[in-house]
Amino acid sequence: MEIVDRWKLRWNTWDLRVVILISLSLQILLIFLAPLRKRLSNAWITMLIWSAYLLADGTATFAAGLISNSQGNTSRPFTDPTLLAFWAPFLLVHLGGPDTITAFSLEDNELWLRHFLGLGFQCWVVGYAFVQSFPNYKLWIPTLLMLLAGIIKYIERTRALYLASSHKIKETSLSDPDPGPDYARFMEVYISKKEAKLPTQIVMIPEPSSRSNNPKNHESKEDLSCLEVVQTAYEFYTTFKGLIADMIFSMGQRNQSRDYFLNLKARDAFKIIEVELNFFYEILYTKARVVQGRFPGHPLRIISFSLTCTTLVLFCLIEKKKFHKFDVVVSYTLVIGAIALDLIAFLMILYSDWTVVALTKSEHPNWFIKIMQRLLDVNRVRWPKNPGQKAKWFYPRKIMHIVRLRWSESLSQHNLINYCLHPCTKWWEKTIGFFGLTNMLDGMKHGYTVDFTPALRDFIFDELTMKSKVAADLEMAKEIFSARGNWILRYESCANLLRWIHEVEFDQSLILWHIATELCYYTDVEEKIDNREFSKYLSDYLLYLLIKQSTMLSNIAGIGQIRFRDTCAETKKFFRGRKMLEEEDSCQNIVTFCKCFCFCFKGKKEPDESLKKKACRRILDVNTDIDLLFVKGDKSKSVLFDACMLAKELKSLERPKMWKIISKVWVELMSYAACHCRGSIHVAQLSKGGQLLTLVWLLMAQLGLCDQILTREGHTKVKLIVSK
């Protein structure tokens, strides 16, 4: 019992001190790590931020409960009740959270009312501790100041969550109510003139062109400066932020955006898209929309910072001899930590894109704005000159490269042939399935990432701009963005391949073309062709989305999971019959599991090339002269040998044309998937490193290739002419 009593005494002595310092540490961790989740698509970073995000609120709430319970408790050896009351308001500051993260996911924004109620409850707890410390309480003034600062912080977070909720986003995206022309008044005038037997004529006045009259908008644009990219991105962000809430846009907005982007280079266009998505990320997951506002954002931030600094000064002036030294150190740590967090947040605000836009908005800036423009260097370089050359992890410039990233700039890959060549034992599959880890561990073992290269970026942009130029009207635009390979096949005069698009569902088509691409890739001459590499990257990327990120393709995925499993089962059966499988025993699975952690951290893992080449040759050697339906029936949804037939048709084409067709089909499949995924699902990926599919979605909207556009613009102008 003595040992138990001793540990109880130690816990009562140190529990509050440790917990409150952990709470501060979590705030420091979040303010620096939270911005990484939009730049890195790394499971470990995401898991660390998720853990810190959940622990931050839980730890602060737990510490507030300990303080409330400790008032008048003599079991704490050297804790002065006045210091406990002084520490309590800092927990409100911590519950307010850092500026870099208010919501971990979009669903957190919908719980803003819960945070609002939590504000009232936590204020009651802190107020209770404050009242319990009277009447002999010398720290009541600094405690009251920190209480006000904490309430402001908590209000900022609650307001940020409210403004990012789906209802508020949609509400703020709506334009002012428009009653339209006064039809009743027009008819009264018209009838009165007719009754007076005056010759009356109704003339329809054609609407002015929605295109800009500025000839610069139609000229080929030179490379944009970084400042021009940010300014342009903000303008388009204010126009197209309604995409998040599935709003409708006018023909004028569509034409102006389309004309501008058609005259851009690929790199500048993608830069603008990246910054636009960065604005989307910050209004949804950070306090940007609150702290960047002139009122009440800036005044409240100045007030809260001033209150914290005043608290530090007053605490320094108060006699502290009766307090324990360690408690004084904890108090100073909390105050200085709060000031440091505010200063870090202030620097982040100063160097953000929002501040750049605010400082360069006016055509005739005053002297103060000019000074701030120079101090903050608004024309600074924001993108590396050689984006394709990435430094190694231990190089200092790698850190700078990550800081400059707007998204992960990588494509996650998943490959069916590789997945089937390296199956796990049934014992291992059942074990990880029991704990619900199948998808995660399969992704670690069989998945890998590749860099989003400038060449692939240019290829995608050229394909989309080509289609945008063809889509002069909405009918043609609808035909193009609704195509999933058929439009480009007709455009390239490959009508014989249309049956592999028209006669199958989207998920079936995707798996078919994925396997066919693999068969062509690994049985082709090893001579580098850009279209060959593009086809491989996009094929594995879209299969990854279908299997591992199925929410993004939920509207069009159909029974993709069933088709994938049936196809894998037939593929494994085929390989097993030819003794090509590398079955792993239990020990090998454990070793592979350990390697997966390393691969997941590094983010890259190259598949076994030689075995895949041999496997693809074996599949292509199968005679497919007889229709599969007569042999297999339609119970199994496997498409392995259908893909084999498609691959043979593709290989009958000339080699450059074959890869040209395959790569263009994959861009069209990706475009179809992008525009059939809801905006809310797209922006949900921004907090996980982003997806190429999201960039393509926004780029298609800017090029006028989306269905959220009004068929008419404005009101028809009618003039009533009365002849004398």
Side-chain angles (χ1 to χ4, degrees), residues 37 53 101-116 156-169 244 280-287 289-290 680 683-684 687:
R37 65 191 187 128
Y53 177 80
I101 181 170
T102 54
F104 185 81
S105 62
L106 286 180
E107 291 77 12
D108 294 326
N109 293 320
E110 307 304 319
L111 301 176
W112 67 269
L113 188 57
R114 180 183 297 180
H115 283 269
F116 181 72
E156 282 182 348
R157 182 181 182 184
T158 305
R159 179 169 169 76
L161 292 170
Y162 167 67
L163 293 176
S165 62
S166 58
H167 170 75
K168 192 62 180 177
I169 287 286
I244 303 174
F280 288 158
Y281 169 84
E282 292 189 344
I283 67 171
L284 292 171
Y285 298 102
T286 72
K287 292 183 181 178
R289 200 169 178 184
V290 173
S680 58
V683 294
S687 63

Side-chain angles (χ1 to χ4, degrees), residues 110 119 195 216 271 287 295 372 422 427 431 597 639 674:
E110 307 304 319
L119 170 63
E195 291 177 349
K216 292 183 180 181
K271 282 181 182 178
K287 292 183 181 178
F295 185 83
M372 291 301 296
H422 303 87
W427 173 86
T431 301
F597 279 85
V639 296

Side-chain angles (χ1 to χ4, degrees), residues 428 584-599:
W428 179 254
E584 295 181 348
D585 58 26
S586 302
C587 294
Q588 286 177 319
N589 279 316
I590 295 173
V591 172
T592 304
F593 174 75
C594 295
K595 290 180 179 179
C596 288
F597 279 85
C598 300
F599 289 138

Side-chain angles (χ1 to χ4, degrees), residues 477-491:
K478 185 175 181 180
E479 180 184 345
I480 289 175
F481 70 70
S482 298
R484 48 187 180 92
N486 48 305
W487 189 89
I488 199 66
L489 288 177
R490 287 195 299 267
Y491 186 82

Side-chain angles (χ1 to χ4, degrees), residues 426-438:
K426 293 182 179 180
W427 173 86
W428 179 254
E429 287 183 348
K430 289 181 179 180
T431 301
I432 62 177
F434 177 79
F435 292 102
L437 301 175
T438 303

Side-chain angles (χ1 to χ4, degrees), residues 402-452:
I402 293 175
V403 170
R404 287 174 171 174
L405 287 177
R406 303 302 178 116
W407 67 296
S408 63
E409 295 187 5
S410 62
L411 305 181
S412 297
Q413 307 279 281
H414 191 66
N415 188 272
L416 186 143
I417 301 295
N418 187 59
Y419 178 79
C420 295
L421 283 172
H422 303 87
C424 297
T425 58
K426 293 182 179 180
W427 173 86
W428 179 254
E429 287 183 348
K430 289 181 179 180
T431 301
I432 62 177
F434 177 79
F435 292 102
L437 301 175
T438 303
N439 284 337
M440 185 180 73
L441 296 184
D442 276 351
M444 290 181 180
K445 179 180 177 182
H446 301 288
Y448 58 100
T449 61
V450 295
D451 294 335
F452 180 58

Side-chain angles (χ1 to χ4, degrees), residues 266-274 452 457 461 692 695 699:
R267 187 183 181 193
D268 289 336
F270 270 84
K271 282 181 182 178
I272 292 173
I273 296 299
E274 289 173 11
F452 180 58
R457 175 200 65 200
F461 183 75
L692 172 61
L695 273 75
L699 180 58

Side-chain angles (χ1 to χ4, degrees), residues 86-142:
F86 179 62
W87 292 349
F90 289 96
L91 299 174
L92 278 181
V93 175
H94 297 172
L95 286 169
D99 289 0
T100 53
I101 181 170
T102 54
F104 185 81
S105 62
L106 286 180
E107 291 77 12
D108 294 326
N109 293 320
E110 307 304 319
L111 301 176
W112 67 269
L113 188 57
R114 180 183 297 180
H115 283 269
F116 181 72
L117 295 176
L119 170 63
F121 176 75
Q122 295 299 335
C123 288
W124 179 82
V125 171
V126 174
Y128 175 78
F130 180 72
V131 171
Q132 287 292 313
S133 61
F134 276 97
N136 300 319
Y137 187 32
K138 298 180 180 179
L139 292 175
W140 74 270
I141 295 180

